[in-house]
Structure formats: C-alpha cells, structure tokens
Amino acid sequence: MALVEREAALLAFDRHLEAARAGTGHVLLVSGEAGIGKTTLLKALAARRDEAALWWGACDCLETPHPLAPLHDIARGAEVGFGALLQPGGARAALFEAVLDELQRSRRPVVAVVEDVHWADDATLDLLKFLGRRIDRVPALLVLSWRDDEVSAAHPLRRLLGELPPSLVTRLALEPLSAPAVNQLARAAMRSATGLHALTRGNPLFVSEVLRHGAEGVPHGVQDLVLARFARLGAAAQDVVRLASTVPTRIEAALVEALLHPSATVIEECLNSGLLNAAAGAYAFRHELARIAVEASLSPPTARALHADVLRALERDAAQAVPLARRVHHAVRAGDARAVAALAPEAARQAQQRGAHVEAAAHYRTALAHGEPGPAVGPWLAAYARECRLTGQLEEAVAAHERLSAWHAEHPDPLREAANLSQLALALVLELRNAEADAASRRAITLLESLPPDPELARAYRVEAQLRMLNRDCAESVAWAGKAIALAERFGEREILAEAVGTLGTATLFLDYTAGCAHLDRALALALADGLHGLAANTWSNLGSGSGEVWRLREAREYLKTAIAFAQRNEIDFFRHYSVAWLALCELHLGEWDDASEHALDVVQQTTSPTTSRVMALAALGRLQAHRGDPQATRTLDEALALASASGTLQRLAPVRCARAEAAWLRGDLAATAAEARAGLAQAASHRHAWFAGELAQWLRRAGESVPVPADCAEPHALLLRGRWQEAAAAWAAIGAPFEQALALAEGDAGARLAALALFDELGAQAAADRLRKAMRAAGVAGIPRGVRASTQANPHHLTEREREVLALLCAGLRNSEIAERLCRSVRTVDHHVAAAFAKLGVNNRAEATAAAARAGIAAPK
C-alpha cells in the first residue's frame, strides 16, 4: 500500500539526516496508535538513508522485557564492536560508552531505529536517555517508535520523553488517514470507498486489511480480519501460525522446525497468507496486533501446551543462549511453577547487575505470583521490596515488607525479621507515613538489641538516625548516628559507615552549619571512593536542601546544581527530583522566579504520587503563584498541605505553613494568616528551628497579634520582630532575598516603602505591590508610582511573560509539543503553562483561548 500523508515526516527525516552527515545528530520520536503505520514509516525512512548505516532493534512484549533487547538485535544485524559487552554481568556504563563511541567513530552517518519503546526494559530506557542527551555530538539519527495509546501518564517511557533535551528532539505524531487519503487508496486498489473511512476511522492497518482481502461487509476489527485469514489455512499451516503466536515479535525458523517439522509447502502457505513474513532466519506476524489476535483465540489448554513445548525446546538448545526473560515468559504461560521459581529470580539478578531495577522488580513479582512456594520466598520478598523502593513503587514495597513479616511469623528468623522492619521504615517514610516508620524502626531496634551484635543493628541505628533527622529531632539523630558509626567501624561496614556519617552531618548542619558540612564532606568522600553513587547524590542533595532550609541560599544553589548534574549523569532520578524541587525554593527566595517556576513545574509534572519531592515542589510553586497573584495558588498549597500533613514532620509542614500564611496575608485574609502561623509555630519552637520559628512568628505578627521573639530565632526575623526594619532589610539583602528585603522595607518610612514598592514591581510581585500601594494611599503618602507598565496595563489577566509567549504560539496553531520544541522546554512544562493561561483567561479550549488572546492584544508571532 502506498505511503500517504506522511510527507512531513519524510522531510523531517531528510533534514535531520543531512545535519547528521555534518556531525550533528538528532532524535526522531514516531508515535501513534496501534496500526497507525509506524513500522511502515520506519521502513520508508530506512530506504531513504542512502549511504548511511542502519541499526535496527525492537522491544518485545514479553511477560518481563528482556534487558537491552534492541541492542542485541543491532549486534546481530550490524557490524558493531560492542557485542562482547552484552554478556550477562557486563558493566552497563562501559557498554553505554562503547555504543556512543561506536557512533562517534563511524565513518558514515548511522540511522539507529528502535521500535516499540513502550515495551522497553529499564536498561534500554536508560541507554536511550544516555544517547539522546548526547546525540548532537555524533553523526547519527536515533529514531524511536511507540504506541501512544499504551503509554499512560505514569508509564516509565514518560520520564525518558520528558528528560530528552527538547532542542535535540523532533516529534512525529502520526495521525489517522483523512477521508480523501482513504478514498485514494481504495481507488488504487480498485475497491469501493463507500463507508470505508467511517468504519476504519483512517487506521492504516484496518484500511490495508480491508483493501487487501476485499471482505464483503467491512469487519469491525483486526481480530475478525486476522482470524478469517487464519481459518482459510490448512491444518498444518494453522499449527505453525498458532505456535508463532506464542512468541512475541518473532519466532526462530529453527524452533518451528524442531517442534513441528513443517514442509516447505506449509511454510509457503503461511507466508502467502499475509499473516507471517520471513526474515533473517525467523518468522514474524505482519502486525503485532495480528499475533495477539491469534494468541487470544487459543484455548487455555492449547496455549499452555504450546508454551510448554517452546520452553522445553529452548532449554534443550543451550547454544542459542536464549535470554532468561523469554524463558520466564514461556514458563509463566505454561503454568510451570517449578521453572518459574528457577528462572525468574536469576533473571532478576541479571537485571540488577545491569541496573535495570524495574525489570528486576517485575521478575521477583513474577516469581512470587507464579513460582513454586518454598524456602526462597522470604529472600524473594526482601529483594522485591528493595527493588520496588529503588524504583519508587512504594505501595508495592510496603506490601512486600508486610507480607515478609507474615512469612517470618511462619518461618521464624529474628535477625531477618528485624532487618525487614528496619527497611520497612525507609519505605514508609518515603510514602510520608512517618509515624508508622518510627514504630517499625523502634521494633527493629528492640528485636536486634536482644540478639548478639550484628551489622544489621548498625544499619537499624542508622535508619533511626535518619528518621530523627527527617523530623528535625537533631540532637537525637546525632546520638543514634554515633551509635551506628561505632558499630559500623567495629564490623568494618564501610557503606553503613558512610550512610551514618552522612546522616550525622545532615542533623548537625541544623545545629552547627560548619561542622555539619564537614561531616557531609567526609560522607561524600567515602561514597565516591567506594562507588556508592546513590549515597553521593543523596549527600549532595542534603548539603543543598539543608543549606536552603537555613537560608544559605547561594551555597545551597551551588550544592543543588552539583547534585542535579551528578544524579542526572548517573541516572539517579529520585535525588535529582528532590534537588530540583529545592533548587526551585532557593531560586524563589533569590528572586529568580522564572527559573523557580520552570524547576517546580518540572518536578510537579514528573512526580504524580505522594513523595517528599512533590511536597517541596508544590510549596515552591504555590508560594510563587501567590506572589504573582495567581488564583491557582490556593489549590496548589491545599495539595501541599494534604501531603505534608501525612508525614507530620516539621521538615514538610513548616515550609507549607509558611507558604500558606504568606498567601493568606497577600490576599488580605488575616484570620487565615494567623491560623496557619499558629498551626506551625509551636512545632517549630519545640524543635528549636530558628528559621521556621522566626518566619511563622513574623506572619503571626503581621496578622495583628502580639508575638514575643522566639527563644531560637534567625537574626533577620528577630530584628524585624523588634521593629528594627532597616537592619532586617540589610540582613535580607546580604542573604540575597529581595522579596523578604522588600517586606522589611515596607514596614519603614515613606522612602523605604517606595524602595520596597520598586523591588516588588521589579520582581513581578503583584499581590504584595497592590497591598503596599493600598496601605500607602491610606497613609496619605504622595507621589506613589503607578508601577503598572504598559505591558501590564495590556495584561488584565495577569499572565506571566512565559504564559503570554506560549499563548502567542498557540494562536499560531502550534501544538504543545511544537511549542516545547520552539522554546526548548519540556512538553509537561508547556502543558502546565497552557493550563495556567486557560484558567486565567477563563476558557476551556484552544479556540476560546485564541479568541480571548486576540481580545487581550496577544497575536501569533510573525
């Protein structure tokens, strides 16, 4: 069938291939629903590559994806030098560098195609992220395809799509064929086009199937089409197609021969039917949907028998070195519990070695669900819980720990049960369930202290120190960390030692900043020396977030940027997200509001479940929205409070209470301001947190209440609480916090208030500026600058500059993905700007937004 309505994709490919020939690579993202013609387009692109080399790989729909399956395909189909590094247990970093080096050294451009990345394993996604971020340095085009109707908001692929540099990416979203295109294809096939577009909705697969077979009365779906063709085959050919349907992507010709011994005539019948194609010693369905349709038609006994046959054949042929993931798939479908128990845990261990933790968790989940019960269940549960925690599957991690506790009740092992409780505490605290985490940690310690000394006790002490630090019970944390350090040194446990020193440093930082930083530097040195990248990222993140919490903003910004770069380089997303959230908070206080908005939005868009990163990002975003007079601030801060309240800790609640008190004050609700401040002040004072206590006391005073200076109060707050506004403003200026400096100046004389107004206007602090102007007029101050520039006068909806910019491009007809590419921002960030603009304009769709923008004087760029 002719390729129609894909001209834009072909031109984009030609343009970027020409740039790749000059040494500047690019990523092409080809997406669309199942049957939309992605593979057909990819083959057409490959045919246009001229002298360029072709790498082609695919991801498989296995029970658990095989790690780096596309790279294995490429190694089999092209002359590459990294094949030896694909052996189980190989170093992933070295493999990734070898692939990149191969692309850099290629004498001709490379077109690297990876199909169906929605089925990609974690290691493959990491590889694509690694290459995609560096693609502009190599003469290559990286072409990825996926089914967008199978990629939910929480799908792992979303992280890859959101983290590729927008300037290096072109999105080719394939749309269904138009009615004229379908009619053109029908005429070329000499078929009637009547009702064809309405019934197929322009899906090229549906159209091609109907036109190929000329069915009377157009079928309603692919299954009817495929099974009708299947029914026309002879019995022997049907056996081949049934067998092939049990193997995702493709089945080796040798495997078909070993199990069925089909004649050449039978194979020819299968190929002529259009169901199967032959290539590179294997058979594959023309469309994956066709394979699924046949597999779904098998009766359960038939399906189990076929999978069992395939599994036995794969086990007999050791020379094939069949990936464990594939064998696990067939063992599960065959209902062979003993084989699952033998294969799935080993597949998980191989995935762990490659850093493919999502796949490792999936394999352990498979072992637990389908494997033969036995003594190994306990270790499987412990490993599964650990992998779930690493990959952010926190509900599953907690459930696994609880199930392991029940298992220990039947198979007593006090040491392992105590270790399980301690690790359960870490999972619970990540879910903001701090009270339950505290209880689990204390039970673990009680149990371990009743046993002979063991490294697990050192680990449990370290976990307890972590929990106390997170609640800002800093003196207690220091004591627990000291006990952990002593035991870790006694047993020579360097990893536990590094963790404990890091926790000691973070807790000490809030008591003695210089001493805390020194401990954290030591922890960082230990972590880097032993290659503990996760701990190193955590330590830099703690240096940054801790510095930000005590308003060492400039130091915090540098630590956080280092943490982000390190975490990004080593693919440690949890600490990257947390560091970006805290960077947004620091940028907010430093007056870098556009950067703060971008970073807060990035984390909010990428962390949809309740996490510590999301709480801090919401606090930053809500506070910024309040500063700018954005009505969405209330909703943002309501979610922040709901999440922070679940933890009950000062670390989460105080920043949110401060933000909510400020937002209430800015909108003139003094009762709410006082309520928010009172809700957090007692907790801050009892923990002797000088910065939180000082700020909350400040908001209580601004709400009209008489407030003594807290016993522990940061200097800028103490100065202002004593009425020394000039010194307070100077202190905030030295810190580099212009908004807080303006708040202090606003309490001074007429000249100081004018200076405050200038700062508010410069920042774009609409709510604070309006409040101050109103107070100055009431006081009879003369010569108050209007402060509303022409651009603001023409902006009655209070759109930010970025929102206006996005809206103008939307008026030009650009889709969100195209706007993201134009502005070098992520699609998620553009989505949020569009939603914010719609809310401010009071519109529900793009047509209404375009009309409202025209009324507001916002036009598409020329």
Side-chain angles (χ1 to χ4, degrees):
M1 191 175 74
L3 189 67
V4 296
E5 294 190 335
R6 299 294 184 251
E7 294 81 3
L10 297 174
L11 290 174
F13 175 85
D14 292 344
R15 183 173 69 254
H16 290 297
L17 180 57
E18 190 61 33
R21 289 190 178 100
T24 302
H26 201 73
V27 180
L28 297 180
L29 302 178
V30 181
S31 63
E33 65 182 12
I36 202 65
K38 297 181 291 296
T39 299
T40 301
L41 175 64
L42 293 178
K43 290 178 179 178
L45 298 180
R48 298 164 71 91
R49 73 185 190 279
D50 295 326
E51 85 288 357
L54 179 64
W55 292 5
W56 195 293
C59 304
D60 302 330
C61 181
L62 295 172
E63 187 76 20
T64 299
H66 170 44
L68 297 171
L71 215 52
H72 285 273
D73 289 345
I74 291 168
R76 285 191 292 267
E79 294 183 4
V80 294
F82 54 75
L85 297 177
L86 286 169
Q87 298 303 316
R92 188 174 67 169
L95 173 61
F96 287 11
E97 289 290 347
V99 175
L100 183 64
D101 183 63
E102 186 108 9
L103 292 173
Q104 288 174 326
R105 292 187 296 102
S106 178
R107 295 182 178 179
R108 51 185 179 142
V110 176
V111 175
V113 176
V114 180
E115 286 190 274
D116 298 326
V117 293
H118 54 282
W119 289 326
D121 63 287
D122 195 40
T124 297
L125 292 176
D126 284 348
L127 171 66
L128 297 177
K129 187 190 304 183
F130 177 85
L131 295 177
R133 289 174 175 163
R134 298 158 177 83
I135 196 68
D136 57 335
R137 310 173 199 170
V138 299
L141 280 187
L142 180 59
V143 187
L144 313 180
S145 74
W146 78 92
R147 294 181 184 173
D148 55 10
D149 55 352
E150 292 191 14
V151 178
S152 66
H155 194 285
L157 178 59
R158 289 291 181 191
R159 288 184 298 171
L160 168 63
L161 300 178
E163 292 168 5
L164 292 176
S167 62
L168 305 182
V169 172
T170 294
R171 292 173 178 262
L172 305 177
L174 303 187
E175 301 293 340
L177 302 178
S178 66
V182 171
N183 293 343
Q184 173 189 337
L185 294 172
R187 285 194 300 271
M190 294 184 290
R191 302 285 187 182
S192 171
T194 303
L196 184 56
H197 186 268
L199 287 172
T200 63
R201 298 188 179 181
N203 183 290
L205 171 61
F206 282 36
V207 173
S208 67
E209 291 292 336
V210 172
L211 294 180
R212 177 184 292 273
H213 299 286
E216 293 295 327
V218 179
H220 292 91
V222 173
Q223 187 174 41
D224 292 336
L225 293 170
V226 171
L227 294 183
R229 289 154 62 190
F230 174 80
R232 291 195 290 269
L233 294 172
Q238 286 186 353
D239 287 342
V240 172
V241 173
R242 286 193 191 96
L243 178 64
S245 76
T246 65
V247 182
T249 308
R250 65 186 66 83
I251 185 169
E252 298 85 348
L255 184 56
V256 174
E257 174 65 25
L259 291 176
L260 298 178
H261 309 291
S263 67
T265 302
V266 168
I267 295 298
E268 191 70 20
E269 182 182 0
C270 294
L271 299 179
N272 288 340
S273 73
L275 284 173
L276 297 182
N277 287 333
Y283 305 119
F285 280 81
R286 286 181 59 248
H287 300 289
E288 176 66 10
L289 290 174
R291 185 196 68 79
I292 294 170
V294 175
E295 185 181 29
S297 73
L298 302 177
S299 69
T302 298
R304 284 195 297 270
L306 287 172
H307 281 288
D309 289 344
V310 172
L311 179 62
R312 283 192 295 271
L314 294 177
E315 288 174 341
R316 283 196 300 268
D317 190 357
Q320 287 194 54
V322 177
L324 278 175
R326 180 174 168 188
R327 293 167 64 189
V328 170
H329 172 81
H330 291 297
V332 170
R333 298 297 178 91
D336 189 338
R338 181 172 298 178
V340 172
L343 297 170
E346 181 57 30
R349 283 188 284 273
Q350 288 189 10
Q352 286 173 301
Q353 290 174 352
R354 290 190 172 276
H357 296 290
V358 170
E359 284 68 44
H363 281 304
Y364 281 124
R365 187 184 304 118
T366 296
L368 291 164
H370 302 285
E372 187 176 51
V377 168
W380 291 349
L381 282 167
Y384 175 54
R386 181 181 62 252
E387 295 303 313
C388 286
R389 192 172 69 248
L390 287 173
T391 54
Q393 302 174 74
L394 299 181
E395 290 184 12
E396 293 87 344
V398 170
H401 282 301
E402 291 173 343
R403 184 177 167 189
L404 182 54
S405 289
W407 191 85
H408 280 306
E410 297 178 4
H411 306 81
D413 186 339
L415 183 63
R416 298 274 68 82
E417 170 57 8
N420 178 54
L421 286 170
S422 188
Q423 297 306 298
L424 170 62
L426 289 179
L428 289 168
V429 81
L430 292 177
E431 273 202 309
L432 301 170
R433 296 164 62 180
N434 292 60
E436 295 170 75
D438 290 346
S441 176
R442 292 301 176 92
R443 290 202 307 273
I445 290 172
T446 299
L447 186 54
L448 284 164
E449 287 181 338
S450 69
L451 302 172
D454 187 90
E456 287 298 338
L457 181 58
R459 197 182 303 276
Y461 285 160
R462 207 289 302 179
V463 170
E464 182 64 19
Q466 174 86 357
L467 297 179
R468 301 280 57 76
M469 179 273 290
L470 292 174
N471 200 38
R472 296 302 182 257
D473 299 321
C474 295
E476 290 184 47
S477 177
V478 167
W480 285 108
K483 296 173 72 172
I485 289 169
L487 271 181
E489 289 176 336
R490 172 182 169 184
F491 289 108
E493 292 284 344
R494 283 177 58 86
E495 182 174 354
I496 301 174
L497 174 64
E499 292 173 343
V501 171
T503 304
L504 170 65
T506 307
T508 303
L509 183 146
F510 300 104
L511 305 172
D512 182 335
Y513 183 78
T514 301
C517 288
H519 288 308
L520 285 164
D521 286 342
R522 181 192 173 201
L524 189 59
L526 288 168
L528 292 174
D530 288 4
L532 304 173
H533 292 156
L535 180 56
N538 187 11
T539 305
W540 264 312
S541 179
N542 284 344
L543 277 163
S545 60
S547 297
E549 193 171 307
V550 297
W551 288 73
R552 305 289 287 256
L553 300 178
R554 296 185 181 94
E555 295 99 317
R557 179 172 54 188
E558 296 311 308
Y559 284 133
L560 291 167
K561 286 182 177 180
T562 301
I564 293 164
F566 183 86
Q568 186 166 315
R569 187 164 63 250
N570 290 281
E571 314 291 346
I572 306 168
D573 287 341
F574 176 83
F575 292 117
R576 185 181 68 81
H577 288 153
Y578 190 71
S579 298
V580 171
W582 257 103
L583 181 60
L585 277 165
C586 293
E587 289 168 337
L588 170 70
H589 295 318
L590 287 165
E592 300 163 0
W593 287 6
D594 284 342
D595 289 337
S597 176
E598 296 285 351
H599 287 132
L601 283 169
D602 179 55
V603 177
V604 169
Q605 293 291 333
Q606 294 192 54
T607 57
T608 55
S609 58
T611 64
T612 54
S613 301
R614 186 171 180 84
V615 172
M616 306 317 294
L618 288 168
L621 181 61
R623 199 160 190 169
L624 177 57
Q625 290 169 334
H627 285 176
R628 287 174 163 170
D630 187 336
Q632 293 189 80
T634 299
R635 185 174 64 179
T636 301
L637 292 174
D638 283 348
E639 183 187 350
L641 180 60
L643 296 180
S645 297
S647 78
T649 63
L650 178 70
Q651 183 190 17
R652 308 299 168 211
L653 280 168
V656 175
R657 290 295 184 187
C658 288
R660 291 173 64 86
E662 180 179 76
W665 182 80
L666 287 171
R667 65 175 184 265
D669 189 344
L670 298 185
T673 303
E676 294 289 349
R678 277 196 298 270
L681 182 55
Q683 187 182 33
S686 68
H687 285 78
R688 304 185 64 180
H689 198 298
W691 289 95
F692 288 149
E695 183 173 1
L696 290 164
Q698 203 72 261
W699 290 118
L700 199 57
R701 179 188 64 81
R702 289 191 178 112
E705 298 198 10
S706 177
V707 183
V709 178
D712 295 281
C713 187
E715 181 187 18
H717 292 301
L719 289 169
L720 197 55
L721 286 168
R722 294 188 177 103
R724 295 158 61 180
W725 60 267
Q726 287 176 306
E727 295 169 78
W732 286 120
I735 287 171
F739 185 82
E740 284 70 22
Q741 178 188 358
L743 286 176
L745 289 171
E747 300 192 17
D749 55 28
R753 290 186 172 193
L754 289 172
L757 199 54
L759 278 172
F760 285 144
D761 285 338
E762 183 180 350
L763 288 167
Q766 185 70 42
D770 289 347
R771 183 181 177 87
L772 180 55
R773 281 191 175 86
K774 182 178 179 179
M776 292 171 72
R777 292 191 192 102
V781 177
I784 303 172
R786 293 185 64 188
V788 181
R789 301 182 298 274
S791 61
T792 307
Q793 290 175 336
N795 183 18
H797 300 288
H798 304 298
L799 297 166
T800 67
E801 287 301 317
R802 183 53 53 78
E803 288 164 358
R804 289 174 64 86
E805 187 177 17
V806 167
L807 196 56
L809 294 172
L810 183 147
C811 292
L814 273 67
R815 293 175 298 186
N816 289 11
S817 59
E818 295 169 325
I819 295 171
E821 183 174 1
R822 178 78 64 90
L823 300 179
C824 297
R825 293 292 184 272
S826 72
V827 176
R828 293 185 183 87
T829 298
V830 171
D831 289 344
H832 191 93
H833 286 315
V834 169
F838 278 23
K840 292 179 181 180
L841 293 170
V843 299
N844 297 310
N845 55 53
R846 298 170 81 90
E848 292 177 3
T850 300
R855 291 192 296 271
I858 300 172
K862 296 180 180 179

